[in-house]
Amino acid sequence: REPGKKKHKSSQLHTKFTITAEDTDAVVADDSPAVKFIEEIAGNMGLNIDVKGFLKGDTLYVSLEGKDVGSMIGKRGQTLDAVQYLASIVQNKNCDSHVRVIINAEKYREKREKTLQLLAKRLADKCIKSGKSVRLEPMNPYERKVIHSALQSNPKVTTRSEGVEPNRRVVIELKR
């Protein structure tokens, strides 16, 4: 632990997206380059957002909260993904070791994952009833993985990805 850094004392466990209360292995990292970068972006956009960073192992969890957080999420999380990508570049510039940066805005990522799981199940049922394959909208790799995982135990359908980034999409079809 760096001198002057306080351990984060709070009382929930961390998810794969967020450090929450009582994760005693997490170290407050509000002065990290990625956090400063995100604060600067929010400030330049005139957004009222509280940015907090916590380092656990080789992952920097950045939490965004506030009334203007929707502007940082964007349509289907695209702005959040873009800011996360840029923050990762800023965080790892001129560094020997790589730090993974995960930005979550008011638990958006957990909510989006749940929505995608429900969508997958609903569209699988549609595919089973109609007998026709279903093509989803283009998604990023993580969101496609959520769809594939949600349906991998379904004995009646199979999934595959088709297309080329950024227009790669999941196709749900009946098992033969």
Side-chain angles (χ1 to χ4, degrees), residues 144-159:
R144 290 195 310 271
K145 181 181 175 193
V146 170
I147 300 288
H148 291 303
S149 296
L151 296 178
Q152 77 182 33
S153 62
N154 187 317
K156 296 181 179 178
V157 297
T158 185
T159 61

Side-chain angles (χ1 to χ4, degrees), residues 58-157:
D58 62 353
T59 304
L60 175 65
Y61 295 90
V62 181
S63 169
L64 308 180
E65 308 239 338
K67 68 179 182 83
D68 296 333
V69 85
S71 296
M72 287 292 266
I73 294 171
K75 184 179 177 186
R76 292 195 190 99
Q78 289 175 326
T79 305
L80 193 61
D81 290 340
V83 171
Q84 179 173 292
Y85 174 74
L86 293 172
S88 179
I89 291 171
V90 168
Q91 181 68 33
N92 290 295
K93 187 177 179 188
N94 304 324
C95 287
D96 295 334
S97 61
H98 181 79
V99 174
R100 183 172 180 215
V101 176
I102 298 177
I103 302 175
N104 200 0
E106 295 191 347
K107 301 201 188 256
Y108 170 78
R109 295 201 186 276
E110 289 91 342
K111 293 173 192 167
R112 178 70 174 154
E113 188 173 284
K114 195 75 175 154
T115 300
L116 289 170
Q117 289 167 343
L118 294 170
L119 175 70
K121 287 177 177 39
R122 197 175 77 241
L123 292 178
D125 290 343
K126 178 181 174 184
C127 174
I128 293 164
K129 284 182 183 139
S130 72
K132 296 180 182 173
S133 61
V134 178
R135 282 178 171 64
L136 281 75
E137 66 194 40
M139 295 178 180
N140 67 43
Y142 177 75
E143 291 185 345
R144 290 195 310 271
K145 181 181 175 193
V146 170
I147 300 288
H148 291 303
S149 296
L151 296 178
Q152 77 182 33
S153 62
N154 187 317
K156 296 181 179 178
V157 297

Side-chain angles (χ1 to χ4, degrees), residues 151-170:
L151 296 178
Q152 77 182 33
S153 62
N154 187 317
K156 296 181 179 178
V157 297
T158 185
T159 61
R160 64 182 168 83
S161 291
E162 69 177 20
V164 179
E165 293 292 354
N167 295 313
R168 210 155 152 75
R169 62 184 69 229
V170 174

